[in-house]
Amino acid sequence: MPHKIGFVDNSNGQLAHYNMLEVIHRFCAGYGSVGTPAFTGTGNGLIVGADALPLGVTETWTLTCTAEAPNAGTFSVVGSVSGVRADATVGVAYNNGLVAFTISDGSTDFELGDEFELPVTQGAAPSADAEWTVLRYNTVPANRELILRGKGYTGDEEIFVGFRTYQDASADYYNLVAAVFTGYVAGNTFDTQPGARLSGVPAHNNRIDYWLTLNPQRIALAMKVGTPVYESCYVGKCLPYGRPSQYPYPVVCSGMLNGTPATRFSDTTANHSIGYKGNSPRLGLRSNDNWQNVYCYPWGNAPITGTTQIRDTGGYYHPLPIELHDNVTNLWGALDGIYYISGFNNAVENTFVIEGVTHVVIQDAGRNGFTDYYALRLDN
Amino acid sequence: MAYYNGSAVDMAAVRSALVTACTSEGWSWNGSTEVLSKGTLFVRLQVVSGYLALLGRTSASSGDAPNAVRMGQLRNTPVTYPLAYHLFVFETEVFMVINYSVDYYQFCAFGLSSTAGLAGTGMWIAATLSHTDATHGVDISPVSGGAGGLNCVAPAPFWGAEAPSPSTASRNCWLHSDIDGQGWLLAQSLTTAPVGIKAAVPLIGLLPNSWNSEAVLLPIRVWKQRASSKISLTGELQHARYTRVDNYEPGQVISIGPDRWKIFPFYRRDTVNRNGGGVIDHSGTLGWAIRYEGP
């Protein structure tokens, strides 16, 4: 299931928005999860720092002591699917590209035949063939950076997106930036990557509840922060109304802010709103020529979002695709997995299922009018 | 399902072709009551004064739509024979397009809405004309249609968005949603304006795209006006789409992915006055695409 619902906070001593970036990094890159190791034998060292790496699969790793040594020892490493891999040494960090761990040295040495069993589960993204390649993940600077490359549904595309943080403790804001690029240059800063388009997404230093979903061509995120308000972003391809030969790179960068201003989540002005409503710099569509601040149907349509508003049909809600146009002579496509939905008798975080796929209703920051909601598809 | 085409020498032959195609695809025809039916779908087909009149019903003999919808003479342009017809029969939708006098087209269609939440049967029905004569011709544009009600018509399915004038019920499309206990009504009353094409603004007016010169196929949605300035979606045609025909020839088949679509103008293509207008004898470049499963 390439979506993840959860929360981050600062209980690990790290600001929550940094932890949010880490969640994005691990989930998009395809890291899996590690179960509780089982041990049989004499030694009392432990497996520590275990991690299921993006290339790994769901399997059980069997680590067997094959050579004893005082305060040391050697373990064979055999995956139930991946087979025999390089041996591990007690006290030395181990990484075979599929799984990583360290067998710590305990007060009692390991003996021949001592055995760990370490279950690992493949990440949701690679399970769905939707993982993104990490081009940069730099947690050293205050503005931490993550740049990813998606392969698209064809498997051989290059879709460049990124997230970074920006914050000011004295102004009490802790934000993310959603970004889309047209390429990647290792020597360039985040903001000077080719064709960079940036949009801020207010976050928080304390608890953030999140809904993160992806497919091979786009990543979408919704966060609940603060009072609360809801912050959303989308990076990657839309669903273009044209052939690849006509429109090879139909990418969208949508956040909550125009660029990266010093805006806190509590801002209630029109400058802090979902990009999905269109007609603002908060959502950019890359046409064949340049970035454009496009309109987003049905916002702007009078019967649906103006003089009248859509409501349910006998208790059923019918989400509408959000279609990107210039209001003059071009209709480019639709957002992928983002839908307009009525706020009539509706509430944020409601869920519904269409054709077996769960969608969650998200509101625009703190707004809750009839036209302030969208539905986020939780990809599977 | 199936595609049929041929020619007809009068409107009775048009009806016969429609009935024959439908009964070949699982519909039932009662010759004495002139009712074609399938499941909860009932439509009475009558030829009256040279018009083919289709009346939607909720049963074989009751639950009539407020008025019949028709194909036949529009303004002062008679239907000439022999005409060519195209029939598209799907599991729960039927479309018929006739072509006469070289470049004139009309249609009739009916089917079942698959939109969840309806209280009614979900049957929808539409045709070029309402039950009254369109003596002032066509009124259609990318943002509205059907001004003048009785005397002007938006010859397209679920396009009309103006109140009838004079204020007498007259529509060329209906859907039995029975939402709010209002049966076939698209608005809050027979005499108020339905949503029609206004819910698709501005999309249909943007096409064809400047960036690739192609016209996107847009869904044909049906809306019901509700109290307190609300609307509900009541239908979305499964096998037909709105589009613009600037760069398509009438009858042209286009492929989009695995699907093929046959393109028609709503009434008569005019690439010069492409946005239509009022009291006119054409439909600009406003048109539609019907899913094509023919050879």
Side-chain angles (χ1 to χ4, degrees), chain A residues 241 243 246-247 297 301 303 308-314 316 318 321 323 325 327-332 370, chain B residues 115-118 179 195 198-199 201-203 206 209-212 214 216 221 223 226 229-233:
Chain A
Y241 294 161
R243 291 178 288 279
Q246 297 173 328
Y247 196 178
Y297 174 93
N301 176 271
T308 60
Q309 306 91 39
I310 192 173
R311 57 164 290 179
D312 65 295
T313 304
Y316 289 84
H318 299 287
E323 298 180 282
H325 65 91
N327 210 29
V328 182
T329 56
N330 287 299
L331 172 56
W332 281 288
F370 293 123
Chain B
T115 300
L118 302 183
I179 286 179
V195 175
K198 288 184 177 178
V201 173
L203 304 183
L206 308 177
N209 286 317
S210 293
W211 70 273
N212 67 352
E214 292 186 358
V216 175
R221 298 191 178 112
W223 303 88
R226 310 289 299 276
S229 302
K230 298 293 175 290
I231 63 173
S232 288
L233 182 72

Side-chain angles (χ1 to χ4, degrees), chain B:
Chain B
M1 291 288 285
Y3 166 76
Y4 302 84
N5 63 350
S7 61
V9 296
D10 56 22
M11 204 55 87
V14 171
R15 185 181 81 157
S16 178
L18 175 58
V19 170
T20 299
C22 288
T23 53
S24 298
E25 300 295 333
W27 290 70
S28 298
W29 171 246
N30 185 323
S32 59
T33 61
E34 301 179 297
V35 171
L36 188 65
S37 64
K38 185 176 186 181
T40 59
L41 305 179
F42 299 88
V43 54
R44 190 189 70 191
L45 301 175
Q46 291 184 323
V47 177
V48 181
S49 303
Y51 289 86
L52 176 60
L54 301 89
L55 180 64
R57 288 178 162 173
T58 59
S59 71
S61 57
S62 64
D64 291 358
N67 61 255
V69 298
R70 304 185 302 170
M71 293 194 296
Q73 179 168 327
L74 198 164
R75 202 183 189 184
N76 52 11
T77 305
V79 175
T80 58
Y81 301 95
L83 59 72
Y85 67 80
H86 306 267
L87 268 160
F88 309 79
V89 185
F90 302 95
E91 183 66 28
T92 57
E93 290 185 345
V94 176
F95 302 87
M96 184 176 202
V97 175
I98 60 173
N99 171 214
Y100 57 95
S101 300
V102 181
D103 60 352
Y104 284 86
Y105 292 82
Q106 292 196 33
F107 81 97
C108 62
F110 45 91
L112 178 67
S113 170
S114 59
T115 300
L118 302 183
T121 66
M123 181 176 182
W124 59 264
I125 189 165
T128 298
L129 298 163
S130 73
H131 71 303
T132 54
D133 295 341
T135 53
H136 286 66
V138 169
D139 179 275
I140 193 168
S141 80
V143 297
S144 192
L150 287 173
N151 302 320
C152 274
V153 68
F158 301 101
W159 194 286
E162 300 290 343
S165 176
S167 56
T168 302
S170 175
R171 287 286 161 209
N172 64 346
C173 49
W174 300 103
L175 189 150
H176 189 263
S177 70
D178 206 22
I179 286 179
D180 302 329
Q182 294 187 321
W184 293 88
L185 299 195
L186 301 177
Q188 281 287 291
S189 74
L190 285 170
T191 55
T192 49
V195 175
I197 192 60
K198 288 184 177 178
V201 173
L203 304 183
I204 193 70
L206 308 177
L207 305 175
N209 286 317
S210 293
W211 70 273
N212 67 352
S213 298
E214 292 186 358
V216 175
L217 305 189
L218 298 174
I220 300 175
R221 298 191 178 112
V222 189
W223 303 88
K224 170 75 174 76
Q225 292 271 15
R226 310 289 299 276
S228 302
S229 302
K230 298 293 175 290
I231 63 173
S232 288
L233 182 72
T234 55
E236 183 171 322
L237 275 56
Q238 297 178 53
H239 301 290
R241 304 284 187 273
Y242 294 137
T243 193
R244 299 299 291 262
V245 297
D246 297 69
N247 300 328
Y248 298 132
E249 293 300 318
Q252 181 178 342
V253 175
I254 64 171
S255 295
I256 299 179
D259 299 323
R260 291 187 298 162
W261 302 83
K262 201 168 183 65
I263 307 289
F264 298 102
F266 284 130
Y267 181 54
R268 188 168 68 88
R269 186 171 76 146
D270 186 333
T271 56
V272 175
N273 303 292
R274 56 182 304 275
N275 283 326
V279 194
I280 56 178
D281 191 41
H282 63 86
S283 49
T285 61
L286 300 163
W288 59 330
I290 303 172
R291 194 185 305 276
Y292 176 69
E293 297 181 347

